[in-house]
Amino acid sequence: MAFFTSGTQSIPEIAESPRHIAVIMDGNGRWARKRFLPRVAGHERGVETIRNLVKCCVSKKVKYLTLFAFSSENWRRPADEVSFLMDLFMYALKREVVKLHKENIKLVVVGDRSRFDDALVAQIEASEQLTASNTGLVLTFATNYGGRWDILQAVNKMQLAIPQLTGFYQEDHLAPYLSMHYAPEPDLFIRTGGESRISNFLLWQLAYTELYFTDTLWPDFNEATFNLAIQSYQQRERRFGRTSEQLNESNTDTQE
Ligand code: IPE
Ligand code: IPE
Ligand code: MG
């Protein structure tokens, strides 16, 4: 059943370290251009950053890591870059999945698979099946994913499932049909590459997420820059609509 937490419906338990981190891995092309390399060289290097970030998350006991790998708008890129990205995703899945499985990592891919070729869909399904009962880090790749696509596909599925409810939908009717229903909403969002935008990532789920933007380009993102993001998160006051005074009062209550 759905693991539903909603920052607008109830105040979630706030842990010292983020339980769920969602990342827009941006800046690969600029990283490569700075070195007079083709843009795709940046994507290749970006895979190494993912491998290191997964290790950091495992050691920090982060439970969910969600990575934006390809947006529904990235099809607008030159055809050769798009096909390189698809091949890279396929190749990296094939190469890494056994290692991830040994580390007890559960791999999930969210997004619209209808535009992927059969071999990629088969690889995704096999990777998800192999790691399905793992209990460690849940590593989600959002691939051909868009926040608006997600909300609309959820609305369509919900209407088919509960047609008698037309016009009276509430959050918890919709939530089980959203792609990431199995995870709590992200505590921390990180975007590398210097842009301060969401680019149609998890629109619904980021309602109360702490946002962190860094100029570091994705291939340069490492344990030290990751720790800066965590430190920034730990300095935030997550109010969920309440006042600072209310938070301080409830802290004193629990200390007494
Ligand atoms: C992010 O890096 C990777 C994907 C979108 C797949 P970019 O390719 O967007 O890199 P920049 O933003 O052009 O530097
Ligand atoms: C967002 O990066 C998508 C991914 C990282 C997969 P983009 O580079 O595509 O975002 P925009 O176009 O600059 O907003
Ligand atoms: Mg970009």
Side-chain angles (χ1 to χ4, degrees), residues 24-30 39 74 77 191 193 195 197:
I24 297 190
M25 312 181 284
D26 196 18
N28 294 347
R30 280 164 286 160
R39 291 176 50 81
N74 286 145
R77 294 192 176 199
R191 182 175 188 145
E195 313 294 353
R197 53 179 175 253

Side-chain angles (χ1 to χ4, degrees), residues 94-134:
K94 222 184 225 170
R95 197 185 50 196
E96 303 289 334
V97 71
V98 174
K99 278 183 255 169
L100 293 171
H101 181 47
K102 284 193 186 132
E103 288 162 36
N104 195 25
I105 292 170
K106 178 173 175 165
L107 202 132
V108 185
V109 178
V110 296
D112 180 4
R113 296 181 191 182
S114 65
R115 274 181 85 169
F116 297 160
D117 67 33
D118 294 347
L120 179 54
V121 174
Q123 182 61 49
I124 291 171
E125 286 171 357
S127 308
E128 286 182 329
Q129 270 163 29
L130 177 68
T131 62
S133 31
N134 290 346

Side-chain angles (χ1 to χ4, degrees), residues 154-165 169 173 177:
V155 168
N156 290 331
K157 280 189 190 152
M158 176 188 67
Q159 281 183 328
L160 284 174
I162 38 176
Q164 70 278 15
L165 267 178
Y169 300 126
H173 292 130
Y177 302 100

